[in-house]
């Protein structure tokens, strides 16, 4: 009778045997997943609770706001608050809304065209002092916009543009971060072979850019547009420095003046709340409608 000696199994690499998946490892993985889900839930609540408060508070009158009855079902006056919002001070809120749309939408559109064109040029062309100029652009990324407000005011004062639409509109057209982002997007979306093929077909540089490159940069353009739209829409310090005419205010500055006046006139409080709620609608709409493009734009060049 022969006997067999049990052997210890080894893994494919010839090393010590792999530890079988046991209960302690599975329990540890479940614990880690539970902790991760709890962190995500806390972060979501932290983000959504202020938005929920804003939605509920916009349906209340001043008495309910001061009485901390936000979560009660009574005192529903959303329609009244909305009517008062657009009739207060001769309809100033409507003018502020239009101003913000002009500053942000038109400014982001024109600024994105400038940023994408500059980033494309930095990526695809060779010219003298290219990297030094791009380093200057990166330096501009690190400068806070508030630092530039006073120099911009002095320049606008010298050319007579203070307290005009152009004093706020022109400075927001130039965004160093948009140029930096556009260069990265251009390297990920526009292959050099496509440009060479277009040139061999007899297309000029401008024709190649507008008919070929800009179309391929569509998702990147939308990404830059959304970044600039958000920055311009939330712009506060530059309009505060440049403007003194309330009819030129954007929403951010207009709601700030009403909030300051609410300490003396409490009837402004419900208007500030519902005005703030309506102020975030365009940004939400833009991100929802364009999410297909900006999500792909953020991942440009990540997979080659």
């Amino acid at each position: 009778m022969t006997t067999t000696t049990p052997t210890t199994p080894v893994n494919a690499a010839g090393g010590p045997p792999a530890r079988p998946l046991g209960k302690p490892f599975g329990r540890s993985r479940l614990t880690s997943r539970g902790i991760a889900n709890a962190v995500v839930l806390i972060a979501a609540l932290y983000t959504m609770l202020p938005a929920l408060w804003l939605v509920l508070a916009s349906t209340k009158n001043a008495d309910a706001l001061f009485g901390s009855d936000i979560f009660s079902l009574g005192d529903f006056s959303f329609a009244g608050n909305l009517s008062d919002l657009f009739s207060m001070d001769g309809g100033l809120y409507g003018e502020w809304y239009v101003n913000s749309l002009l500053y942000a939408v038109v400014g982001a559109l024109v600024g994105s065209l400038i940023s994408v064109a500059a980033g494309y040029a930095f990526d695809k062309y060779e010219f003298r002092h290219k990297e030094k100029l791009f380093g200057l652009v990166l330096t501009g990324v690190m400068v806070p916009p508030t630092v530039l407000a006073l120099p911009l005011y002095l320049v606008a004062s010298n050319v007579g543009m203070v307290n005009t639409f152009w004093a706020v509109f022109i400075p927001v057209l130039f965004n160093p971060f948009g140029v930096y982002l556009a260069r990265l997007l251009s390297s990920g979306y526009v292959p050099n072979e496509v440009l060479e093929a277009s040139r061999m077909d007899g297309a000029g540089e401008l024709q190649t850019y507008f008919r070929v490159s800009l179309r391929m940069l569509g998702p990147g353009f939308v990404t830059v547009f959304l970044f600039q739209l958000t920055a311009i829409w939330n712009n506060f310090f530059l309009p505060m420095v440049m403007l003194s005419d309330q009819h030129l205010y954007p929403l951010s500055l207009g709601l700030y003046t009403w909030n300051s006046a609410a300490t003396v006139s409490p009837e402004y409080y419900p208007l500030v709340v519902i005005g703030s709620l309506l102020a975030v609608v365009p940004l939400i709409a833009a991100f929802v409608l364009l999410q297909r493009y900006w999500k792909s734009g953020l991942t440009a060049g990540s997979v080659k």
Side-chain angles (χ1 to χ4, degrees):
M1 184 177 66
T2 60
T3 60
T4 59
T5 303
T7 59
T8 302
V10 296
N11 59 15
R19 187 179 66 176
L21 181 65
K23 291 184 179 179
F25 181 77
R27 188 181 302 120
S28 175
R29 186 168 63 175
L30 291 177
T31 303
S32 300
R33 182 180 300 175
I35 294 175
N37 291 336
V39 172
V40 172
L41 179 61
I42 294 173
L45 290 176
Y46 178 80
T47 304
M48 295 305 298
L49 280 179
L52 177 62
W53 183 92
L54 187 63
V55 171
L56 295 177
S58 64
T59 65
K60 306 300 179 181
N61 54 28
D63 294 335
L65 287 176
F66 290 121
S68 299
D69 296 329
I70 303 298
F71 295 97
S72 66
L73 299 179
D75 299 321
F76 187 84
S77 57
F78 181 81
N81 291 341
L82 197 63
S83 176
D84 294 339
L85 176 67
F86 286 98
S87 62
M88 179 64 72
D89 295 339
L92 266 180
Y93 184 83
E95 296 183 26
W96 296 340
Y97 216 99
V98 173
N99 293 338
S100 288
L101 289 175
L102 290 175
Y103 291 135
V105 178
V106 180
L109 182 61
V110 178
S112 298
L113 289 173
I114 296 173
S115 296
V116 170
Y120 172 83
F122 274 116
D123 178 48
K124 300 304 180 185
Y125 296 105
E126 295 295 332
F127 48 89
R128 191 176 182 182
H129 303 307
K130 169 183 171 179
E131 296 303 328
K132 292 181 180 179
L133 290 174
F134 190 69
L136 187 61
V137 171
L138 295 181
T139 303
V141 173
M142 296 182 289
V143 177
T146 53
V147 175
L148 300 176
L150 183 57
L152 288 173
Y153 174 81
L154 296 176
V155 172
S157 178
N158 288 333
V159 298
M161 286 199 314
V162 173
N163 199 31
T164 65
F165 171 84
W166 305 107
V168 177
F169 181 77
I170 293 179
V172 300
L173 299 180
F174 307 98
N175 183 7
F177 178 74
V179 177
Y180 165 74
L181 183 60
R183 182 178 182 177
L184 297 181
L185 295 171
S186 176
S187 64
Y189 273 109
V190 185
N192 293 327
E193 295 80 6
V194 176
L195 302 183
E196 292 297 332
S198 177
R199 291 167 185 147
M200 291 180 63
D201 290 338
E205 295 300 326
L206 288 178
Q207 189 177 14
T208 299
Y209 173 69
F210 285 106
R211 293 190 176 183
V212 179
S213 303
L214 191 57
R215 293 184 180 183
M216 300 177 72
L217 282 169
F221 175 83
V222 172
T223 304
V224 176
F225 171 80
L226 287 175
F227 273 108
Q228 294 204 213
L229 177 71
T230 305
I232 299 172
W233 189 269
N234 296 325
N235 192 11
F236 169 77
F237 196 70
L238 180 64
M240 185 179 68
V241 171
M242 292 290 189
L243 303 176
S244 59
D245 184 1
Q246 288 192 347
H247 297 280
L248 297 174
Y249 283 2
L251 282 173
S252 56
L253 183 57
L255 291 174
Y256 170 78
T257 59
W258 274 5
N259 187 60
S260 300
T263 56
V264 179
S265 303
E267 65 270 13
Y268 280 107
Y269 276 120
L271 306 185
V272 172
V273 172
I274 192 172
S276 301
L277 177 65
L278 296 183
V280 301
V281 171
L283 293 181
I284 296 175
F287 274 88
V288 171
L289 294 176
L290 301 175
Q291 62 176 334
R292 180 165 62 94
Y293 300 99
W294 67 264
K295 284 183 178 179
S296 60
L298 289 177
T299 57
S302 60
V303 179
K304 288 287 186 180

